[in-house]
Each structure stands twice: as structure tokens, then as C-alpha cells.
Amino acid sequence: MATTKLVDVIFDAEENEGVPDFWYFEELYRHILCITIDQALSLPAAKQFWESYPLDDTDGIIKSLDLVAEDLKAPGSTRAVHKVIFQAFEFARMNPDKFTLTHKAKRKGYDERTPNAVAFALLFQAAHDFAAKVASRRERSMQNNQDEFRTAHAGTDANCGQTSRREARDGGFPEAERHYDVAKLKMPSLKTNPGLQAAGLLLWTTQRKPETKALEVLRDRVAAQTLDYFISRRMSENIVHMHLSRHERERTGKDRSLH
């Protein structure tokens, strides 16, 4: 988690002038950053960043970056990704207040850029993909009215609810395609909506250790019908490998569907 948050905070190209846009907005390059930072982020450096960021401790944040940079400055550190990282760190050292939690929270649209919003955007994309497969469309969106996710969901729904994203192949911004207008987002109480209650039960079952045999059976049945996607070193490596393999097939003229 420390790796993901450090990349999110320090390498946001809209804040850090030392980061070329495509290194943050293009999926391939973003995950190369994640892998490289994860390799260099020792336990002391991760702990330093994780404890400093919530407290707006700029000295502590910069110290964590210095620890990462020290590891990357080993002999043979000439890769392009290292150059981008050093540029980003130098800008952060010169402008530490831009990378505090307080600064992020005050920025317009911050709620729509949080990890919660990213999760909602992925959820909307999955809904669009499913709708395309069944020749249908998303007609409504409902969420429990708890405050924790209210702003992030509403903002992301307005921006992403009617569009799907496709990663650009030329290093630019992801492409967005508008599909249709949908009914207004509704946020009823979990206590009054059976659909939300069912969704909550399924999530509760899959995310917690079952206390009874019946819940264990239900969890296994649900798990057999789902695919878990999560941010991890292995997932980043798979994403990078996928893109590099596709580029190689395109380069050699062997880009064809794999079955």
C-alpha cells in the first residue's frame, strides 16, 4: 500500500512538473513506476512515508524519497524510469508543500481523485463491459447513503458513469467514449433497499472470515463466480508484460487474437 500511495502522491503529473504526462496517465508506464518504486522501497522507507504523509510531515516525506533514491543510485542506474523518478523527487524537494495531505484535500476535485473514486471508475467500466456483452445498458446506479463514499461516488458517476475508457497506445491520455445518458444516481438507505442489502451481504461474506460452515459454503460459491482484481506487485508485472507482449506482436506483424 505504501508503494501505491507514494506513486499516487509524488508522481501525479498534474502536480509534479518533473513527471511527463504519459509516465503517470499511461497504464504501462504507470505500472513500471510502481514496480521500480516497490523494488527500491525498503521497510524503513515505507514506514517513514506511511507515518509522515497523514501528519503533513514534509521533512519525513522527503526523507522517505531520499531513502528510495539512495537505493536507485546503485551502479548501473541509467534506466529512463530512474531519470523520471529522480526528476520527480527533485521537484518534490523544491516544492514539498505540494505533496501534503492538506494540499491535496484543498485542491478542487480532490474527492474525485481518491482511491475510492478510482474503485468506482473501475466499477463503472466493468458495468459498461458487461452491458456490451449482453447487448444491454446501465440504466441506474444505487449506493448506500453513508457519507464515506457519497462525494466520491457522485462525482465519479457524473464524470465516468456514461463513458468507458481505453488506454492509449501512443503514450497519451486514455481515450473516453460516451455511451448514453443514465438515470440519476440514487442513494437510499441500506435498511430500506433489498438490492443494497444483498450486495452488502455478498461483500461481507467474501471479505470476512466465515464463522459458520454455512457462511463458508456461501463464500466459496461466490468466490467461484468472481475474479478478484487488486493492486499488487504481481498485478503490475502482469500488466507490464501484457503491454510489452502486445507491442512486440505489433512490431513483428503478429498481432492477432489469442484464444
Side-chain angles (χ1 to χ4, degrees), residues 20 55 62 83 86 92 131 141 178 209 214 232 235 251-252 259:
L55 300 176
I62 298 304
K83 180 179 179 181
F86 295 146
S141 179
R178 186 174 182 86
K209 183 178 180 180
S232 69
M235 185 60 68
R251 186 185 68 82
T252 59
H259 300 282

Side-chain angles (χ1 to χ4, degrees), residues 197-213:
Q197 292 174 11
L201 175 62
L202 290 175
L203 289 171
W204 182 89
T205 302
T206 58
Q207 298 302 313
R208 289 169 173 78
K209 183 178 180 180
E211 298 180 359
T212 67
K213 184 64 177 179

Side-chain angles (χ1 to χ4, degrees), residues 13-63:
E14 292 187 356
E15 291 285 357
N16 195 318
E17 296 178 10
V19 181
D21 288 345
F22 67 88
W23 272 99
Y24 185 73
F25 292 106
E26 170 69 16
E27 185 179 57
L28 169 61
Y29 294 97
R30 185 170 63 249
H31 283 277
I32 289 176
L33 278 174
C34 288
I35 293 171
T36 307
I37 291 296
D38 191 60
Q39 290 175 331
L41 192 67
S42 64
L43 180 59
K47 184 177 180 180
Q48 179 71 55
F49 177 78
W50 199 250
E51 293 179 349
S52 301
Y53 182 65
L55 300 176
D56 280 349
D57 177 5
T58 55
D59 291 338
I61 294 173
I62 298 304
K63 182 177 180 181

Side-chain angles (χ1 to χ4, degrees), residues 150-163:
R150 181 192 300 269
T151 303
H153 193 170
T156 312
D157 182 77
N159 290 331
C160 306
Q162 296 83 48
T163 61

Side-chain angles (χ1 to χ4, degrees), residues 2 8 23 26 39 57 80 84 103-104 127-128 165 188 193 216 220:
D8 177 55
W23 272 99
E26 170 69 16
Q39 290 175 331
D57 177 5
V84 173
H103 174 76
K104 292 283 186 179
H128 289 311
R165 289 167 35 125
N193 188 279
E216 183 178 357
D220 292 343

Side-chain angles (χ1 to χ4, degrees), residues 9-205:
V9 170
I10 302 299
F11 293 92
D12 185 341
E14 292 187 356
E15 291 285 357
N16 195 318
E17 296 178 10
V19 181
D21 288 345
F22 67 88
W23 272 99
Y24 185 73
F25 292 106
E26 170 69 16
E27 185 179 57
L28 169 61
Y29 294 97
R30 185 170 63 249
H31 283 277
I32 289 176
L33 278 174
C34 288
I35 293 171
T36 307
I37 291 296
D38 191 60
Q39 290 175 331
L41 192 67
S42 64
L43 180 59
K47 184 177 180 180
Q48 179 71 55
F49 177 78
W50 199 250
E51 293 179 349
S52 301
Y53 182 65
L55 300 176
D56 280 349
D57 177 5
T58 55
D59 291 338
I61 294 173
I62 298 304
K63 182 177 180 181
S64 68
L65 302 186
D66 290 340
L67 291 173
V68 173
E70 192 64 32
D71 187 276
L72 290 176
K73 289 178 180 176
S77 176
T78 58
R79 296 167 56 194
V81 63
H82 292 175
K83 180 179 179 181
V84 173
I85 291 173
F86 295 146
Q87 290 175 175
F89 284 4
E90 183 60 26
F91 184 85
R93 292 188 188 97
M94 300 298 294
N95 305 272
D97 292 339
K98 278 182 166 285
F99 303 93
T100 61
L101 182 61
T102 298
H103 174 76
K104 292 283 186 179
K106 289 181 178 179
R107 197 174 77 183
K108 182 179 180 181
Y110 171 77
D111 286 328
E112 298 174 16
R113 304 171 63 82
T114 62
N116 287 337
V118 173
F120 285 129
L122 293 175
L123 177 62
F124 295 147
Q125 181 65 52
H128 289 311
D129 292 342
F130 177 79
K133 290 180 181 179
V134 298
S136 182
R137 72 177 194 176
R138 173 175 169 258
E139 296 181 355
R140 66 179 63 89
S141 179
M142 304 185 76
Q143 181 211 308
N144 184 17
N145 62 357
Q146 65 192 79
D147 290 336
E148 181 180 2
F149 306 117
R150 181 192 300 269
T151 303
H153 193 170
T156 312
D157 182 77
N159 290 331
C160 306
Q162 296 83 48
T163 61
S164 62
R165 289 167 35 125
R166 294 177 299 176
E167 292 289 342
R169 295 190 175 190
D170 57 359
F173 287 90
E175 300 172 358
E177 178 182 354
R178 186 174 182 86
H179 292 287
Y180 45 76
D181 293 324
V182 295
K184 184 178 180 181
L185 171 67
K186 297 181 179 180
M187 294 189 178
S189 170
L190 178 67
K191 298 178 181 179
T192 63
N193 188 279
L196 289 176
Q197 292 174 11
L201 175 62
L202 290 175
L203 289 171
W204 182 89
T205 302

